[in-house]
Amino acid sequence: MATKPIILTVDDDTQVLQAIARDVRHGFGEHFRVIRAESGQRALDVLERLRVADETVALMLVDQRMPGMSGLELLTAARRLFPEAKRALLTAYADTDAAITAINEVRLDHYLVKPWDPPEQRLFPMLDEMLDDWLADHPPEYRGIRVIGHRWSQESHAVREFLARNLVPYRWIDLDSDAEAPELLRLTGGADRDFPLLLFPDGAVLERPTTQEVAEKASLRGRAEVPLYDLIVVGAGPAGLAAAVYGASEGLRTLIIERDAAGGQAGQSSRIENYLGFPSGLSGADLARRATAQARRFGAEFLLTDEVVAIDGHAGVIGVSLGNGTELRAHSVVVATGVDYRRLDVPGADRLTGRGVYYGAAVSETSSVRGEVVHLVGAANSAGQAALHFAAAAERVTILVRGADLSASMSHYLVQRIAATPNIEVRYSTAVEEVRGRDRLEEIVLRDTADGHLTTEPANALFVLIGAVPRTDWLDGGIARDDRGFVLSGPTVRRAGAGRSWPLERDPYLMETNVPGVFAAGDVRLGSGKRVATAVGEGATAVMSVWQYRAGTGL
């Protein structure tokens, strides 16, 4: 049987070391093994032995001020042995600068100022959070879904991406490279099948399933429990999740409908480092997981893999139509469908999508690009985060930028980080002219935007993170939008010339569209900030507008 993952505590003060090991064992000993070390060098020796023994270290809780080897020096050395372990630093008030340095240099996950009493309030919540994050990336010995298919299959990519974005653990078995594939095919009926195949722990096999079929079998979909909701939120990105949290926490019967996966475009971000309250940053998947759990905790209901196709506004009750023909009703609706990345409009792009050309960070492809050459198109924060993420696995990452610099559209901290990463190259004044390949991406044609010169070079994977196209085609006719498709709300409803469609004497509330009781939040809204923090704020603000609307209509 596998041993428990390890929490390593390190402090040169024997009494402090005994106390923190006792507290950690008391709070987490049921699921983790706690090991102590009384110096940095001793801890490094222990870690080296654990590495040889193929043990798993989940967390290192290390004192900063130790003679011979500081906590920061230990964590720097330990990172090469257990790079995926969570790292926390015990500090004094005077050591804050060291903690900030550790965040930047060794990706410190947390720092804790001594003393930590009472541990139930000052220690356990911090450890709970880090260990939950670690467990999300390191599930127990795998007994879940297995996906069998070809790496360069669009259908296989779509299923893997759907599972990854919905945080459903799965194991990928490549028909072309995994030794166990032939035996599994024999046991499931032979190679004459439509791939991908999904094998479930209960013995069920799905052959080339739709995302709806996968969601149903994986118990993701959910269902509408009541015929009339106080609030329906369309879209489960940061804005939609925030609206669900703030609506449900204030007692509104809330349903959130999402066609793909919770987290939206932000959920594909490998690392968000400028979100308030997370000095070490967090991934988009972590943010989505936390927010979804928070919304569920307050009673919000989720309906996944269903798409809203129409909203029909009536006095006091708003109809919401789904693509499967279902009709739902609510007193208020928040539209938070976000944006999609703009498609790459060059020869070969559509044919090779999912076969080497991917939109967004494509979290399911991270392991596939190990040791390969990756190209990435885009110059915004999402592109910078993706480049840094892939650089940890790929041989080389090349960012293709139409402009002359990154600073106009990318945060300063990302520009600096990219410049300091040796296997990332930024190629300015460059655009993709064509992508080529027979069954998968093999090469790309690049154009110098200054002189028009064309060059061709081999490529294993091309990730496209360009532009913002709002998900609003389904709103045709009813809800006012600008000429690019962004939803008008609040003062812009009248200023933009849509006032003729506003039916009431009062002005629209701050986040209200031209249909009373229907609100917009996040990137889908004209004038939004296109940042995670602003999207979350808009989701909360939309619920404030909902309450204004309810008060005004006597709901």
Side-chain angles (χ1 to χ4, degrees), residues 144-346:
I145 300 171
R146 287 169 291 176
V147 180
I148 306 175
H150 296 281
R151 176 186 171 184
W152 305 113
S153 159
Q154 292 177 333
E155 293 79 10
S156 293
H157 168 73
V159 166
R160 294 168 62 201
E161 191 72 359
F162 176 78
L163 292 171
R165 291 189 60 195
N166 281 286
L167 307 178
V168 178
Y170 72 93
R171 186 156 64 89
W172 167 243
I173 299 173
D174 194 322
L175 282 166
D176 301 317
S177 60
D178 285 335
E180 64 181 311
E183 178 64 10
L184 285 173
L185 288 184
R186 185 185 68 80
L187 295 172
T188 55
D192 189 20
R193 308 290 295 268
D194 283 333
F195 295 101
L197 293 181
L198 272 69
L199 311 184
F200 290 82
D202 63 0
V205 178
L206 292 183
E207 185 173 334
R208 200 177 184 179
T210 64
T211 55
Q212 287 82 5
E213 290 171 331
V214 177
E216 192 74 42
K217 182 63 181 174
S219 301
L220 287 175
R221 291 198 66 180
R223 63 180 182 178
E225 299 290 344
V226 297
L228 176 63
Y229 286 87
D230 295 316
L231 174 64
I232 289 180
V233 181
V234 186
L241 289 169
V245 167
Y246 282 92
S249 67
E250 294 298 325
L252 298 180
R253 187 69 186 257
T254 301
L255 174 70
I256 186 166
I257 305 172
E258 167 59 48
R259 72 174 188 181
D260 295 322
Q265 195 178 72
Q268 301 180 63
S269 296
S270 55
R271 201 79 182 167
I272 303 169
E273 297 190 65
N274 58 354
Y275 190 59
L276 186 66
F278 293 87
S280 300
L282 78 169
S283 70
D286 282 341
L287 179 63
R289 175 176 56 81
R290 293 168 187 241
T292 299
Q294 194 173 17
R296 291 187 189 278
R297 176 194 164 207
F298 288 122
E301 299 169 25
F302 281 74
L303 198 58
L304 296 180
T305 71
D306 278 310
E307 188 169 10
V308 176
V309 296
I311 292 177
D312 188 14
H314 301 285
V317 176
I318 298 161
V320 176
S321 302
L322 304 183
N324 61 10
T326 302
E327 299 285 339
L328 302 173
R329 297 187 302 158
H331 291 304
S332 300
V333 172
V334 173
V335 177
T337 45
V339 296
D340 285 322
Y341 289 113
R342 195 170 72 244
R343 310 297 284 185
L344 193 63
D345 187 18
V346 301

Side-chain angles (χ1 to χ4, degrees), residues 302-551:
F302 281 74
L303 198 58
L304 296 180
T305 71
D306 278 310
E307 188 169 10
V308 176
V309 296
I311 292 177
D312 188 14
H314 301 285
V317 176
I318 298 161
V320 176
S321 302
L322 304 183
N324 61 10
T326 302
E327 299 285 339
L328 302 173
R329 297 187 302 158
H331 291 304
S332 300
V333 172
V334 173
V335 177
T337 45
V339 296
D340 285 322
Y341 289 113
R342 195 170 72 244
R343 310 297 284 185
L344 193 63
D345 187 18
V346 301
D350 288 344
R351 183 173 60 83
L352 295 175
T353 295
R355 298 175 176 176
V357 176
Y358 308 104
Y359 291 90
V363 292
S364 62
E365 298 299 327
T366 302
S367 60
S368 299
V369 302
R370 188 169 302 279
E372 295 188 347
V373 176
V374 171
H375 290 78
L376 190 149
V377 185
N381 277 11
S382 55
Q385 292 157 354
L388 290 166
H389 175 67
F390 288 126
E395 177 185 340
R396 187 175 75 254
V397 176
T398 301
I399 304 176
L400 307 174
V401 182
R402 280 182 172 271
D405 62 65
L406 289 172
S407 58
S409 54
M410 189 179 293
S411 295
H412 179 65
Y413 78 94
L414 284 172
V415 176
Q416 286 187 312
R417 191 76 57 78
I418 287 169
T421 305
N423 64 331
I424 296 181
E425 174 193 0
V426 182
R427 201 173 298 176
Y428 298 103
S429 302
T430 303
V432 178
E433 189 74 7
E434 184 181 357
V435 296
R436 297 172 178 169
R438 184 173 180 179
D439 299 317
R440 62 180 180 87
L441 178 67
E442 296 173 357
E443 60 184 23
I444 56 177
V445 180
L446 303 177
R447 175 172 53 85
D448 188 314
T449 59
D451 60 18
H453 180 68
L454 298 179
T455 58
T456 301
E457 57 187 66
N460 300 118
L462 178 67
F463 296 91
V464 182
L465 301 95
I466 54 175
V469 180
R471 293 181 173 183
T472 57
D473 289 346
W474 59 280
L475 291 174
D476 278 350
I479 293 177
R481 301 175 293 155
D482 74 349
D483 56 0
R484 295 179 299 162
F486 290 97
V487 175
L488 307 182
S489 61
T492 64
V493 169
R494 287 186 167 171
R495 283 207 305 265
R500 62 184 182 277
S501 65
W502 177 248
L504 304 180
E505 291 185 7
R506 68 167 175 84
D507 288 336
Y509 295 121
L510 182 59
M511 312 297 281
E512 197 169 20
T513 70
N514 64 304
V515 177
V518 178
F519 305 82
D523 290 357
V524 75
R525 190 183 67 85
L526 178 64
S528 65
K530 305 297 186 291
R531 288 289 188 269
V532 173
T534 55
V536 169
E538 289 194 9
T541 303
V543 174
M544 293 175 60
S545 294
V546 167
W547 280 111
Q548 288 180 291
Y549 171 76
R550 291 174 64 85

